[in-house]
Amino acid sequence: MLVLKKGGTALEAVMIATATLEDSPLTNAGYGSTLTWDGKVECDASVMDGRTLQYGAVGAVSGVKNPVKLAHHLCFKQNSPTLALGRVPPCLLVGSGARKWAKRAGIQTAPSHSLVSERLNIEAFSWRQSEKPFSKNRPQYTQPGLHPELLVFSSLVQNEISALDLLTTEIVSPLDTVGAVSMDSEGNVASACSSGGIALKHSGRVGQAGVYGCGCWAENTDGQSAIAACTSGCGEYLVKTCLAREVSQDIKVASCCITGLHNTMTNKFVNSPFLRNVPLDNRLGGVIVLKCSQDESTGEFLWAHSTSTMMVSYMSIADRKPKISLSMLPKGIAPGSQVIVEAVPFKRRLATMDCQTINYVDLTL
Amino acid sequence: MLVLKKGGTALEAVMIATATLEDSPLTNAGYGSTLTWDGKVECDASVMDGRTLQYGAVGAVSGVKNPVKLAHHLCFKQNSPTLALGRVPPCLLVGSGARKWAKRAGIQTAPSHSLVSERLNIEAFSWRQSEKPFSKNRPQYTQPGLHPELLVFSSLVQNEISALDLLTTEIVSPLDTVGAVSMDSEGNVASACSSGGIALKHSGRVGQAGVYGCGCWAENTDGQSAIAACTSGCGEYLVKTCLAREVSQDIKVASCCITGLHNTMTNKFVNSPFLRNVPLDNRLGGVIVLKCSQDESTGEFLWAHSTSTMMVSYMSIADRKPKISLSMLPKGIAPGSQVIVEAVPFKRRLATMDCQTINYVDLTL
């Protein structure tokens, strides 16, 4: 918010907001991310600028303190002229190559283990102690003597529930991507997201936060409306449904945003033909959306999810502190089967640099 | 084609066809791919199954003999039930993690340097001899004593022009992704693509061949039409325009496929707002498309490109050998400014396992 108050762009605002969330050990992004099967932190992050329609992303990167800053750098580099040999600056960098780029670009790198929070490190150590080599016939993700559920769920309990002061909650799924959407005084929008991925994922796995059109989207070039969206949930399902882009394209032309978002989340996510072999209770996803009509200077911030809960936080520069909402599916509705949509309206005051910044933490408890 | 003649699926056919192209030193995929700035082969590949709508991809992977086989394996694994902790098998694996997965899955790995063809190895050696460490103020892709254009262009000249017996051609761009679309006797379609990426790319860069919706698309589930598409060209631009998916969605409902494809390639690629800061002569892309109406059992194989040339090859099981077409933009039309579309009709004879397999090599000479 400080960025916007100082006249910064929406792109800078989402980058800084997401980097702040990455630095918190309470979120599954950057420092304190859940660990891969090999006990490492590997992060995905992306940034999209609605003004230029440029995009930058990183996937499965280790040892970069703020993956979203690297994604932002790649997004910014897209505006550079074409390089020799007809090559353009890369919009997606992964693995060790992404870390090399960060080093050369002056983006803070760190020893890979320094991104593992102390508690996760201790747990990972005790887990690695019990590890035995893979055998050919053993199921891929289960090992004798290992109870990964305990590792992951205890992490969530200790971290996020204490943060929310929710002492007794049934944990459904270990997903907690972070991200932000923002609009600046010029009416430009941007979106960013960052994730440590699914706990105990295979090394090298990239989820929606590193895939174009799936983790974040921002577009404000048609002169009529500006829209930004950011998704969270099971990465593979958000990829297969191209959710950030689909939501943005539908809401851009919807006469009623709430109905439009409900329809899109229901028809193109929960009931998507691309997820037809996915058990209903696994179709877990959430999205935050910022839409503003350019001519009327009015807009809406919306959120929707099929998870039990999703946490959102939002404020404008007129606010002293952010509003926080722990959105929950109504009792009796099974997660993955239906979608809840909520929204708050806002009004842009162009002359006074009115704006909106929304950060969210999806806890999917 | 042998796969289809033996009653194999479209998915198997595109995988085998693309793997064969990867094994050829004449293509920029698998063995003999162009080298990264660090002198390594790093490959992207993806596969999509129209019947199940499943997708698998790898990005920036080294030391896997046939990246498309690993992508196929990941696509196949998507049909597995959900794993413990609510995780699903990954649909995108990158870097060293992808190679680890290949090793465990029994997919042939190889020392990274063995994928460098002898000629490229010699050139890379002489190039590395002249390499000096990066200094902070030196432009990113230029180094004193190095003339990368010579390296890349001479590779293309020796490889692909000798293959085509084209002795004098002005080379415009070093792009040559390979891929295949196919329809089997059941009327199911599939698509695959594979690429070594842009020559002298930064390590870790992933192009359209590793990004969902951008390199390949296949869909035959609505009971009315089956469609498969595969793209080639500048990876970043094909990613930003989600070209394979956009083409498929438009052509699926187009009354005239040729007009539809021309419109999509013109409006959503060459004139796309997502490429507005890209010089016109760099908007180089190509696509192959297979569309079949399920009820009429007729279909079309189409190709379109804004590059100077694109090479396509196609055959049905009724053919003894493939037809080859070196498609060229009409003289006087600048590459990147307009699109040429060509098509051949075909008829499925359901009872006799009629089918269509198309491999293509985009040389973009």
Side-chain angles (χ1 to χ4, degrees), chain A residues 51 54 78 82-83 87-88 92 94 141 198-200 204 206 212 237 239-240 245-246 276-277 282, chain B residues 51 54 78 82-83 87-88 92 94 141 198 200 202 204 206 212 237 239-240 245-246 276-277 282:
Chain A
R51 187 178 63 83
Q54 300 294 17
Q78 299 294 308
T82 307
L83 304 169
R87 294 164 310 160
V88 294
L92 170 59
V94 299
Y141 285 111
I198 293 175
L200 297 184
V206 178
Y212 185 67
Y237 306 154
V239 168
K240 285 176 185 170
R245 188 169 182 261
E246 285 295 309
R276 61 185 169 181
N277 76 334
N282 279 356
Chain B
R51 186 177 64 83
Q54 300 294 16
Q78 299 294 308
T82 308
L83 304 169
R87 294 165 310 161
V88 295
L92 171 58
V94 299
Y141 285 112
I198 293 175
L200 297 183
H202 190 279
V206 179
Y212 185 67
Y237 306 155
V239 168
K240 284 175 185 171
R245 188 168 181 262
E246 285 296 308
R276 62 184 169 184
N277 75 335
N282 279 355

Side-chain angles (χ1 to χ4, degrees), chain A residues 38 48 51-54 60 77-79 82-85 87-94 97-98 100-101 104 134 140-141 148-149 152 174 198-206 211-212 217 219 221 234 236-237 239-240 242 245-246 273-274 276-277 279 282, chain B residues 38 48 51-54 60 77-79 82-85 87-94 97-98 100-101 104 134 140-141 148-149 152 174 198-206 211-212 217 219 221 234 236-237 239-240 242 245-246 273-274 276-277 279 282:
Chain A
D38 302 328
M48 189 161 176
R51 187 178 63 83
T52 61
L53 298 179
Q54 300 294 17
K77 287 290 285 182
Q78 299 294 308
N79 298 313
T82 307
L83 304 169
L85 291 173
R87 294 164 310 160
V88 294
C91 63
L92 170 59
L93 278 181
V94 299
K100 273 186 202 166
W101 183 288
R104 286 175 183 167
F134 275 83
Q140 200 140 21
Y141 285 111
E149 290 84 354
V152 179
I198 293 175
L200 297 184
K201 66 183 178 181
H202 191 279
S203 173
R205 176 262 192 190
V206 178
V211 181
Y212 185 67
W217 194 263
E219 203 177 340
T221 52
C234 175
E236 279 71 14
Y237 306 154
V239 168
K240 285 176 185 170
C242 280
R245 188 169 182 261
E246 285 295 309
F274 292 87
R276 61 185 169 181
N277 76 334
N282 279 356
Chain B
D38 302 328
M48 189 161 177
R51 186 177 64 83
T52 62
L53 298 178
Q54 300 294 16
K77 288 291 284 184
Q78 299 294 308
N79 297 313
T82 308
L83 304 169
L85 293 171
R87 294 165 310 161
V88 295
C91 64
L92 171 58
L93 278 181
V94 299
K100 272 186 203 167
W101 183 288
R104 286 174 183 166
F134 275 83
Q140 198 139 23
Y141 285 112
E149 291 84 353
V152 179
I198 293 175
L200 297 183
K201 67 183 177 181
H202 190 279
S203 173
R205 176 263 193 189
V206 179
V211 181
Y212 185 67
W217 194 263
E219 203 176 340
T221 53
C234 175
E236 279 71 15
Y237 306 155
V239 168
K240 284 175 185 171
C242 279
R245 188 168 181 262
E246 285 296 308
F274 291 87
R276 62 184 169 184
N277 75 335
N282 279 355

